Amino acid sequence: YLQMNPEFLKRYIRLFLTLIVGITTFLSSSSVEINSSSATESTPLIEDSSKFVNVGILDTIDPWFFVWTFGDSMEFLRSQLPDKKIKSTELTYEELEEAIKNRTIDFFIAPSGFFAKVAEDSGARHVATFHRDTALDPGRAVGSVFVKRKGDNRFNSVKDLEKASLSAASPDSFESWIIAIGELFKEGINLEDIEKRTIFTGYGLPDVVTLVLNGSADVGILKACELEKLLSDGTVKEHELEVIGEKDQKDLRCKVSSDLYPDVVFASLPKAGSDLVRRVSVALFTMPKAGEGSWGFASDFGSVSGLYKALKMGPYSYLKDSTPAAILYRYRYILIGLLGFGLLVLFYIISVQRIVKVRTRELRKAIRKMKTAELDARTSQERVFQMEKAGVVQELSAMFAHEAHQPIASLVNYAGGLNMYLKDNSDPMVHEALKEISNQANRLSQIITRVRSYAKRDSKKFTVVNLREVLFAALEHIEKTKGISRADNNGVLKIVESAVGDALCVGDALEIELVVINLLKNAIAAVKQCKKPEIVVSLSRYEDNWIIAVEDNGPSLSNEEFSRLCEPVGSHKSHGLGLGLSICKVIAESHGGKLLFERKPKAGLKALFFIPMNSQVHA
């Protein structure tokens, strides 16, 4: 085939001679290291390891980079760092990854795709980026170009490559494979099918261009500017190849079918100290010329990371894994964010619940205070009303006493005159009735006189009083006015006396009698609905007090009714003004005693009137 195509023979001869020159340059750049190694072997002394600097270079980099750039760069670094022994090692893709992992090298030189792939896990940092003369920006300097045989009309765009057979240098090459399949991926072409139809030359012979020209492959993938080099040295003729899907761009003075990415990267690893990294950076940036370009700086490698992520390769190869662990790792940042958000929401909910609980507790406390205040206000209002009522009753009582005094006096006079007029009448019933009318009228007159003295706030005049006489007078009044008979065993009223002899005290007999009468009336009203009504009146002695007790078997009182017994409206009756017990309490206190009430265990009420013995009390 070579005899039939002498141009191919010339191409291989030129390529062979170029490689010989490159190897010679590379070996000469390493002569210092070889000599140093020989000297080290002959010298038994142990040298300081900090003087050694190990640089690894990926062997799949463009051979022209080896020929024109790598050797010059190493020689310049040795001249700028004379105190360091710089050793460069050519490594395969896997060997370079292993060296980075084991930290046996300080720096490495590789395409930007390899750098982006290992940077996150290895801690590699960008030192410099090669800036070739054909590129305006080192960050947009490399790409891929699809070439076909000129005149092959089957493939006019990248989209047409879906069924084409391809040839490429290596599946690990960033420029001549990864960038290219990124463009195919954008067009929706199945990359697995493409890879099956691709012939990888492994940088050997026949090369990519030869496979396209001899028809072994439909399309070849070259690095950007590689076609221009082949044309310039005559290896390929203008009429033999043409570019598929050429992009309109101004950053690179070469034809390209893909987006542009950063050029070859000189990177540092954590093993290299900061001072060493600084000195290497300064040396590279001040190097005047490095083959076909110089060392510069690329500030953004996001496009490379985005390419690997889209292809699910390199640091994003885990995206192809669909196991639960891989899915968790793939969405770890989202899951961490959701977890954090969930924790914040949970904290917020707990905080809100706590605040609501505290505010609810405070609100309940405030409501209780408000209810207590409302109850106190109602109680105070009721008391004011009761006092107003008591005041009105007092005024009405004074008015009534004033107006009723004269008619009652006339009634007494008429009763006396009628008695004198009928003195010859032999009917005893008439005389008894007139006598009782006169007695009751006199009694009523005394009461009215006492009411008038209360209204005038006159001072009281107490005398010695026999409580037994007062008690029997009250019972006699009740018998006459209420029609209730007194009996020892069978009657409603029962008298129990435990006092010995006369029960003497100092006080007002009429007022004490009124108290007893009022208590008896209340008791009678209480037992009105009972089947077997019973009222017990007793007179006894307790320490220095006489006790007049009136108890009944009426219905039980509620707590509210019991607490209101001695208020101005205190009563357990459903009718009347309700001033009786309050007046009785005032009378008891004016005598130095007190009026108390007790609820009986089963039913009924017991009223206790305490009166001091032989005590001179003044109101």
Side-chain angles (χ1 to χ4, degrees):
Y1 183 80
L2 292 175
Q3 291 177 352
M4 294 174 63
N5 296 276
E7 292 298 331
F8 284 104
L9 180 59
K10 294 178 182 178
R11 184 186 308 131
Y12 287 129
I13 291 173
R14 291 192 188 99
L15 180 60
F16 179 74
L17 292 176
T18 303
L19 290 175
I20 292 297
V21 173
I23 293 170
T24 303
T25 305
F26 176 75
L27 291 176
S28 64
S29 67
S30 305
S31 61
V32 176
E33 298 170 16
I34 296 172
N35 294 332
S36 299
S37 300
S38 300
T40 303
E41 291 175 1
S42 61
T43 304
L45 298 176
I46 299 176
E47 295 189 79
D48 186 2
S49 61
S50 63
K51 293 183 178 181
F52 291 91
V53 178
N54 295 306
V55 181
I57 181 168
L58 190 62
D59 63 356
T60 59
I61 292 181
D62 185 359
W64 300 109
F65 183 86
F66 275 101
V67 173
W68 302 114
T69 304
F70 177 67
D72 292 347
S73 299
M74 290 297 101
E75 283 299 318
F76 188 77
L77 284 177
R78 291 187 182 97
S79 66
Q80 297 298 309
L81 284 73
D83 57 321
K84 301 293 183 181
K85 297 183 181 299
I86 300 176
K87 179 182 178 181
S88 59
T89 307
E90 185 179 352
L91 302 170
T92 65
Y93 199 95
E94 292 76 14
E95 289 173 344
L96 184 56
E97 283 186 322
E98 191 68 20
I100 292 172
K101 180 179 179 182
N102 296 331
R103 299 192 175 187
T104 58
I105 58 176
D106 302 284
F107 300 90
F108 68 86
I109 301 173
S112 58
F114 181 89
F115 169 74
K117 176 182 177 182
V118 302
E120 182 176 354
D121 294 331
S122 66
R125 293 294 179 264
H126 170 263
V127 174
T129 304
F130 185 66
H131 188 180
R132 64 181 67 187
D133 296 334
T134 56
L136 298 178
D137 181 2
R140 290 175 53 80
V142 298
S144 298
V145 58
F146 297 102
V147 295
K148 66 175 181 176
R149 291 184 300 277
K150 199 159 189 175
D152 188 351
N153 296 324
R154 294 178 298 167
F155 313 107
N156 298 313
S157 66
V158 176
K159 179 68 175 176
D160 297 334
L161 303 182
E162 187 172 7
K163 301 297 182 181
S165 60
L166 282 75
S167 63
S170 170
D172 294 326
S173 175
F174 180 63
E175 297 176 57
S176 61
W177 178 249
I178 295 176
I179 294 177
I181 63 174
E183 294 300 318
L184 298 176
F185 178 79
K186 291 179 184 177
E187 298 295 335
I189 297 175
N190 190 307
L191 299 183
E192 292 183 1
D193 293 341
I194 285 291
E195 189 168 359
K196 291 176 182 178
R197 298 194 305 272
T198 301
I199 303 171
F200 294 102
T201 65
Y203 300 98
L205 298 175
D207 61 359
V208 173
V209 172
T210 301
L211 292 175
V212 174
L213 291 177
N214 65 22
S216 299
D218 297 325
V219 176
I221 302 174
L222 301 177
K223 300 175 183 178
C225 297
E226 186 177 359
L227 178 61
E228 283 76 9
K229 288 179 182 178
L230 294 174
L231 290 171
S232 67
D233 63 20
T235 306
V236 175
K237 302 298 182 182
E238 289 284 349
H239 65 275
E240 292 180 316
L241 298 174
E242 62 178 318
V243 176
I244 301 173
E246 181 181 353
K247 294 209 172 190
D248 183 17
Q249 48 82 31
K250 299 179 180 179
D251 293 319
L252 186 64
R253 290 191 292 272
C254 298
K255 295 181 178 181
V256 68
S257 305
S258 68
D259 293 335
L260 297 177
Y261 298 88
D263 210 330
V264 173
V265 174
F266 196 111
S268 66
L269 292 167
K271 184 174 180 289
S274 58
D275 182 66
L276 177 60
V277 174
R278 179 186 61 79
R279 294 177 64 188
V280 170
S281 301
V282 171
L284 292 176
F285 290 141
T286 57
M287 185 176 177
K289 190 71 173 176
E292 296 181 326
S294 60
W295 290 101
F297 190 85
S299 60
D300 185 12
F301 288 84
S303 59
V304 182
S305 298
L307 175 61
Y308 274 105
K309 187 173 184 179
L311 298 176
K312 300 179 181 179
M313 297 176 63
Y316 301 98
S317 58
Y318 64 87
L319 295 175
K320 295 181 180 179
D321 193 353
S322 59
T323 61
I327 294 174
L328 288 175
Y329 182 78
R330 185 182 311 167
Y331 299 105
R332 61 190 184 278
Y333 298 115
I334 297 176
L335 293 176
I336 292 173
L338 290 176
L339 179 61
F341 179 75
L343 291 175
L344 288 176
V345 171
L346 180 62
F347 176 76
Y348 175 76
I349 292 174
I350 294 174
S351 300
V352 170
Q353 287 180 343
R354 183 177 177 276
I355 293 172
V356 169
K357 187 180 294 184
V358 172
R359 297 291 173 82
T360 303
R361 185 166 58 249
E362 293 176 352
L363 181 61
R364 288 174 179 172
K365 187 184 296 184
I367 291 175
R368 286 197 297 269
K369 289 182 178 179
M370 183 180 67
K371 289 182 178 179
T372 303
E374 290 178 353
L375 181 60
D376 292 342
R378 286 198 300 269
T379 303
S380 299
Q381 186 177 5
E382 183 69 18
R383 288 177 179 173
V384 170
F385 173 73
Q386 293 168 359
M387 296 305 295
E388 290 177 352
K389 181 178 178 181
V392 171
V393 171
Q394 182 179 2
E395 295 296 329
L396 291 175
S397 299
M399 185 184 300
F400 172 77
H402 176 74
E403 296 297 331
H405 183 72
Q406 185 63 37
I408 292 173
S410 299
L411 179 61
V412 172
N413 291 331
Y414 279 119
L418 186 59
N419 191 31
M420 292 178 62
Y421 179 75
L422 297 174
K423 65 179 179 177
D424 295 332
N425 192 333
S426 59
D427 190 352
M429 199 79 135
V430 173
H431 290 284
E432 181 66 23
L434 291 173
K435 181 180 178 181
E436 188 60 30
I437 290 173
S438 179
N439 290 339
Q440 293 298 327
N442 287 326
R443 178 183 175 83
L444 182 59
S445 177
Q446 292 176 2
I447 293 172
I448 291 174
T449 301
R450 191 61 48 83
V451 171
R452 292 185 66 186
S453 69
Y454 288 154
K456 295 178 180 180
R457 302 184 185 275
D458 294 339
S459 60
K460 297 179 180 179
K461 296 180 180 180
F462 289 164
T463 59
V464 177
V465 177
N466 189 339
L467 293 179
R468 292 182 73 254
E469 295 178 356
V470 172
L471 180 59
F472 281 102
L475 291 172
E476 184 179 357
H477 175 77
I478 288 297
E479 288 179 353
K480 291 179 179 180
T481 57
K482 295 295 183 179
I484 299 176
S485 62
R486 179 176 41 167
D488 293 336
N489 295 316
N490 300 322
V492 175
L493 289 174
K494 298 181 183 299
I495 304 298
V496 178
E497 291 186 69
S498 60
V500 178
D502 294 332
L504 302 178
C505 70
V506 176
D508 189 309
L510 180 59
E511 289 184 355
I512 296 174
E513 183 182 346
L514 289 175
V515 171
V516 176
I517 291 173
N518 192 280
L519 296 177
L520 287 171
K521 288 181 179 179
N522 287 340
I524 293 170
V527 300
K528 189 174 183 180
Q529 302 298 329
C530 295
K531 293 181 180 180
K532 295 182 178 180
E534 184 177 85
I535 300 173
V536 178
V537 182
S538 63
L539 175 61
S540 61
R541 178 176 179 175
Y542 176 75
E543 295 181 352
D544 294 333
N545 294 280
W546 297 109
I547 301 177
I548 298 176
V550 178
E551 56 184 305
D552 59 68
N553 62 343
S556 299
L557 299 180
S558 65
N559 292 333
E560 183 179 359
E561 291 173 331
F562 184 76
S563 63
R564 297 181 61 185
L565 282 177
C566 289
E567 292 182 3
V569 293
S571 174
H572 58 291
K573 297 184 294 183
S574 59
H575 59 277
L577 293 176
L579 293 171
L581 291 180
S582 180
I583 295 174
C584 291
K585 183 179 179 182
V586 172
I587 293 174
E589 290 175 354
S590 69
H591 282 74
K594 55 186 175 179
L595 184 63
L596 300 178
F597 297 91
E598 293 180 359
R599 281 183 288 191
K600 298 175 69 175
K602 293 183 179 181
L605 186 70
K606 184 175 184 180
L608 302 171
F609 182 13
F610 289 79
I611 305 173
M613 300 171 57
N614 301 323
S615 296
Q616 183 67 35
V617 182
H618 299 281

